[in-house]
């Protein structure tokens, strides 16, 4: 197994992020790697495609502030310095690829819901990251109940 030196972990700030972060922290400790956290705030204009004639700037600003606060809490809990926390705006898969390249990441860790069939064809962030990454990608299965 390669020795990962820099791990980029992209999280969505949901309750499922804990499982992804747990795996990422374990991998970083195992490899003595530097761990970076990333959250990407999608612009509301991307989600709605400009179909709704409204100014979303105030809502977008609130989303950004909430994400900053949440990301800082995750970083504090894992003792990750602020310089290794990244909050970007745009399409998540594209931003993950861009930051991964600029940091020289050896591994990207993302959560995956394991969609199948039509949901997979319609795309997911994990799938987009996997197919455009220049390094290894670990998709951590989230959102499924473990069998006893």
């Amino acid at each position: 197994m390669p020795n990962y030196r820099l791990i980029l972990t992209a999280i969505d700030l949901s309750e499922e992020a804990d499982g992804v972060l747990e795996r990422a922290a374990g991998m970083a400790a195992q490899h003595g790697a530097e761990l970076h956290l990333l959250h990407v705030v999608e612009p509301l204009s991307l989600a709605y495609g400009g179909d709704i004639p409204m100014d979303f700037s105030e809502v977008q600003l609130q989303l950004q502030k909430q994400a900053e606060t949440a990301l800082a809490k995750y970083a504090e809990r894992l003792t990750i310095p602020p310089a290794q926390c990244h909050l970007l705006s745009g399409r998540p898969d594209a931003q993950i690829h861009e930051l991964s390249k600029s940091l020289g990441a050896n591994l990207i860790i993302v959560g995956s819901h394991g969609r199948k069939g039509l949901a997979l064809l319609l795309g997911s962030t994990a799938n987009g990251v996997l197919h455009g990454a220049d390094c290894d990608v670990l998709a951590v299965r989230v959102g499924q109940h473990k069998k006893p």
Side-chain angles (χ1 to χ4, degrees), residues 84-105:
Q84 291 171 215
C85 294
H86 311 274
L87 183 60
L88 302 175
S89 180
R91 281 189 28 238
D93 54 345
Q95 293 296 329
I96 293 166
H97 292 149
E98 189 174 316
L99 183 61
S100 171
K101 288 176 189 172
S102 70
L103 292 174

Side-chain angles (χ1 to χ4, degrees), residues 9 20-30 35 78 109:
T9 304
V20 176
L21 289 171
E22 183 179 307
R23 181 64 55 92
M27 291 287 290
Q30 179 182 3
L35 182 60
L78 294 171
I109 299 178

Side-chain angles (χ1 to χ4, degrees), residues 48 50 62 116 131 135:
Y48 295 105
Q62 289 176 349
K116 295 178 182 163
H131 291 290
C135 63

Side-chain angles (χ1 to χ4, degrees), residues 23-103:
R23 181 64 55 92
M27 291 287 290
Q30 179 182 3
H31 290 275
E34 185 175 293
L35 182 60
H36 285 248
L37 296 184
L38 168 63
H39 176 69
V40 180
V41 177
E42 285 188 81
L44 292 172
S45 61
L46 285 179
Y48 295 105
D51 291 340
I52 300 175
M54 292 179 62
D55 181 11
F56 288 115
S57 58
E58 186 61 35
V59 176
Q60 193 72 48
L61 185 60
Q62 289 176 349
L63 289 173
Q64 189 81 11
K65 287 179 181 180
Q66 289 173 351
E68 285 173 11
T69 302
L71 192 61
K73 287 180 183 176
Y74 283 117
E76 183 179 334
R77 195 174 77 221
L78 294 171
T79 63
I80 296 173
Q84 291 171 215
C85 294
H86 311 274
L87 183 60
L88 302 175
S89 180
R91 281 189 28 238
D93 54 345
Q95 293 296 329
I96 293 166
H97 292 149
E98 189 174 316
L99 183 61
S100 171
K101 288 176 189 172
S102 70
L103 292 174

